[in-house]
Amino acid sequence: MTLEQKHLRGAASGQVVAVRGSVVDVRFPPGELPAISDAIMIDWDLGPPVLAEVQQHLDAATIRAVALQNTAGLRRGTIAHATGAPIRVPVGEAVLGRLLDALGHPADRGPALPADIERRPIHGAAPGIDRRGGELEIFHTGIKVIDLLAPLVKGGKAAMFGGAGVGKTVLIMELIRTTVERHSGISVFAGIGERSREGHELLLELKQSGVLARTALVFGQMNEPPGARWRAGLTALAIAEYFRDTARENVLLLIDNVYRLVQAGGEVSGLLGRLPSRVGYQPTLASEIAEFEERIASVAGAAITSIQAVYVPADDFTDPAVAEIFSHLDSSIVLSRDMASEGMYPAVDPLASTSALLDPRLVGEAHYRTAQDVRKTIAHYRELQEIIALLGIEELSAADRSAVRRARRLMRFLTQPFMVTGAFTGKPGRSVELDETLAGCRAILEGEADDWAESSLYMVGGLEEARSREMAAKEAT
C-alpha cells in the first residue's frame, strides 16, 4: 500500500460528474469539499489512480480540479477521494542521481524509491524576512562574460533570456557542470516542457561528467498534460527547499524553461474558463510568477541559487511574461541572435546583460571599472558600425579606429569553448578564474593585443592562451 493510499483512509469521497480534457469536476457530500490546492485521487480501471489538484469551488458540493495525468477514458461516476493535503513529492538523498516526473515518480527506468521516503507538499510559503541570510557572496561560474558583466550571488536569481536557437540550454548545461565542480552543494534541475530528447541528452551528459550523483532531475515533458508541466517547477522547488532547510546544503536550482511554465499556466487558465488578460496571458500571471520566484531565497547558513532559462517569444523583450520575470531577478543575461549568427558563443549581449550586483562596494573597484570600460568600448563600436558599413573603417579617426580594434578583440576574448560542447567542436572546454578574466580585458583595453590577429583571441580561456596562439601563428608564417 502506498503512502497516498494509506492517507486516504477515512477521507471524503465523491464522484466525477464531468470531464473536459484535463479538467475534472467532482461532486462531494455537502460540507466535505476539499480545499483549494488540495490533491484528489481518482480511482479507475484503466491504470493507477489519477492525481488532480483542486482549483475552484463551483458550488457547495462541487469542485473543479486539474488532472496531472492523462484522463483519456475517464468516465462520469468514477469514485474520487480527497487526500486532505496538497500534492506531496519525495525528497531527500534518495532522489539524488534520479530523474523524476512532476509527481515525483522515477522516470529513468531505475529502481523504485524507498517506500518510507519523506514527502513534502509542493506548495509552501517563501521564507520570512527574519530568516533571510544577510551576507552577499559572489557566485563564480568560470564563464568570462557572466562573471565580468553580470555577476551572480549565492542565494540570488539569474535568468538567461533569448529566442529559439541562441544557446540557452547549452549554457544551462555548462553551468550545471562547472558549478557542481567549483561549488560544493546540490543541484536540482527542472525541465519544464522539455523534449524527451533533451532530457535524455542531459542525463547522459551528467553521467559522463560524474556530477549526476549530486543532482536531482525533475521533468515535465512537452507531451504531458498542462497540469504536470505547470507543477514540475514546484516539485523541483520542494526538493531544493528540503536540502536548504533540513540538510542545510547550498542548492543550485536550474530551470529550463520558465516561459513554458507560464505557457502551461495559461493552458490551465483557459481550461478553467478564465478570461485572458494582456496578449492572451492568464489573469493570474503576476501572482503565479511571484509565488514561484519568491520561494527561491537564501536563509541563514544555506542558500538556493537559481539560474533560469527564459524563452523570449519573437525576440520581443516587452512581452508581459518576460517583463514580469525580469522584475524578480538579481542578474539578467540576454542572449543575442546577431552574436549567435556570427559564431560568438556564449552569445551573451555585453550591453543588454545587467546585474544589480555590479557595484564597486560588492565586487571591488577594479572589477567595476573594468566592466564599465568594456561596456563603453563595445557600445562605442556599435555606434560606429553603421558608418563603417557605409564608408569603411578608413574614414574613422585614429582614436575611433583604435576603439574599434579593441572592441572587436574584447568581444572575441569574451567567447569561450564549453566542456559540454567539446564532443561536437573538438575544442576542450575552458573554465576561467575572475582574476584572469579581469587581467585579460584590462590588457586588451590598454592596447596590448592591438597587433594580434582577432582569431588568436577567439574561443580561448585566458590571455596567456591567446598569446601562445598568436606566437605560434607568427612562427608558422
Side-chain angles (χ1 to χ4, degrees):
M1 182 180 286
T2 67
L3 289 179
E4 288 95 337
Q5 289 168 330
K6 289 177 184 177
H7 194 69
L8 293 178
R9 288 180 174 175
S13 296
Q15 282 191 335
V16 174
V17 294
V19 181
R20 291 180 300 280
S22 296
V23 174
V24 182
D25 293 351
V26 182
R27 183 169 291 128
F28 284 89
E32 297 188 22
L33 283 186
I36 299 292
S37 296
D38 272 9
I40 61 172
M41 302 289 287
I42 304 171
D43 290 324
W44 62 344
D45 53 6
L46 297 181
V50 174
L51 187 68
E53 185 178 85
V54 178
Q55 293 297 320
Q56 292 175 349
H57 288 169
L58 299 181
D59 56 41
T62 312
I63 60 96
R64 178 162 289 169
V66 173
L68 276 69
Q69 293 153 293
N70 191 1
T71 58
L74 183 62
R75 298 189 298 268
R76 287 183 294 178
T78 304
I79 299 299
H81 304 280
T83 64
I87 296 168
R88 303 170 74 85
V89 295
V91 297
E93 294 287 333
V95 305
L96 295 179
R98 303 302 303 273
L99 189 152
L100 310 176
D101 64 15
L103 300 178
H105 302 146
D108 55 4
R109 298 183 181 177
L113 295 173
D116 59 347
I117 190 170
E118 182 178 349
R119 291 175 177 268
R120 290 209 171 181
I122 62 172
H123 296 284
I129 293 176
D130 56 337
R131 291 184 58 211
R132 303 279 177 122
E135 295 182 5
L136 289 176
E137 182 181 347
I138 300 299
F139 187 88
H140 296 302
T141 65
I143 299 173
K144 290 181 287 189
V145 66
I146 293 177
D147 288 344
L148 174 68
L149 299 175
L152 314 181
V153 65
K154 280 189 179 179
K157 295 184 281 284
M160 292 174 290
F161 295 86
V166 295
K168 297 185 298 299
T169 300
V170 170
L171 198 48
I172 280 276
M173 289 173 66
E174 181 70 9
L175 283 165
I176 292 177
R177 180 164 183 156
T178 58
T179 50
V180 169
E181 290 175 353
R182 294 168 67 92
H183 302 273
S184 60
I186 300 294
S187 287
V188 179
F189 179 88
I192 302 172
E194 288 288 281
R195 302 167 184 88
S196 56
R197 169 186 58 80
E198 292 172 334
H200 181 65
E201 287 175 357
L202 178 65
L203 189 63
L204 289 178
E205 173 62 37
L206 295 179
K207 278 182 180 177
Q208 291 168 2
S209 59
V211 299
L212 182 62
R214 300 288 286 170
T215 305
L217 305 173
V218 178
F219 272 79
Q221 287 183 197
M222 190 174 279
N223 64 329
E224 293 189 50
R229 288 180 273 123
W230 192 35
R231 292 310 186 209
L234 294 184
T235 299
L237 193 50
I239 293 171
E241 286 173 333
Y242 167 85
F243 285 109
R244 179 194 66 191
D245 298 334
T246 303
R248 311 301 292 171
E249 295 261 19
N250 289 320
V251 183
L252 176 65
L253 175 63
L254 299 119
I255 306 164
D256 187 9
N257 182 309
V258 178
Y259 183 78
R260 293 201 189 109
L261 185 146
V262 172
Q263 280 185 313
E267 288 181 55
V268 169
S269 181
L271 289 168
L272 293 172
R274 295 173 182 152
L275 289 174
S277 183
R278 285 190 303 160
V279 200
Y281 285 109
Q282 59 269 40
T284 53
L285 173 68
S287 58
E288 281 180 16
I289 293 174
E291 176 192 359
F292 182 76
E293 296 285 359
E294 289 304 303
R295 287 171 62 184
I296 302 171
S298 61
V299 299
I304 297 178
T305 305
S306 178
I307 301 173
Q308 308 167 13
V310 182
Y311 168 70
V312 180
D315 292 339
D316 178 15
F317 285 88
T318 65
D319 184 89
V322 175
E324 191 62 42
I325 294 168
F326 255 121
S327 66
H328 291 274
L329 303 173
D330 301 303
S331 302
S332 302
I333 301 163
V334 178
L335 301 178
S336 162
R337 189 171 302 282
D338 290 338
M339 292 184 66
S341 66
E342 294 174 14
M344 300 286 192
Y345 289 106
V348 176
D349 189 325
L351 303 185
S353 301
T354 60
S355 173
L357 307 165
L358 194 58
D359 185 300
R361 294 168 295 179
L362 298 176
V363 299
E365 186 65 37
H367 182 168
Y368 176 77
R369 182 54 49 203
T370 301
Q372 293 300 96
D373 289 346
V374 166
R375 278 211 179 103
K376 181 180 176 182
T377 303
I378 294 174
H380 187 46
Y381 165 56
R382 290 191 176 172
E383 290 170 0
L384 296 171
Q385 276 185 309
E386 190 172 340
I387 297 173
I388 296 170
L390 291 172
L391 304 175
I393 196 169
E394 296 79 11
E395 298 300 318
L396 300 179
S397 66
D400 283 347
R401 286 200 299 272
S402 175
V404 168
R405 281 197 301 271
R406 291 173 187 178
R408 289 178 62 86
R409 284 159 177 76
L410 278 170
M411 291 173 71
R412 280 151 183 76
F413 179 66
L414 292 176
T415 62
Q416 187 171 341
F418 284 167
M419 296 177 189
V420 297
T421 59
F424 311 108
T425 63
K427 295 181 179 179
R430 297 284 187 272
S431 181
V432 184
E433 296 297 329
L434 176 61
D435 290 344
E436 200 174 354
T437 300
L438 294 177
C441 290
R442 180 51 58 190
I444 294 170
L445 287 166
E446 292 171 356
E448 187 174 328
D450 281 1
D451 297 329
W452 295 9
E454 292 179 3
S455 58
S456 297
L457 293 151
Y458 178 68
M459 286 291 175
V460 296
L463 193 68
E464 288 305 312
E465 183 181 349
R467 181 178 283 110
S468 301
R469 188 183 289 184
E470 175 69 14
M471 291 175 63
K474 286 182 178 177
E475 289 173 1
T477 56

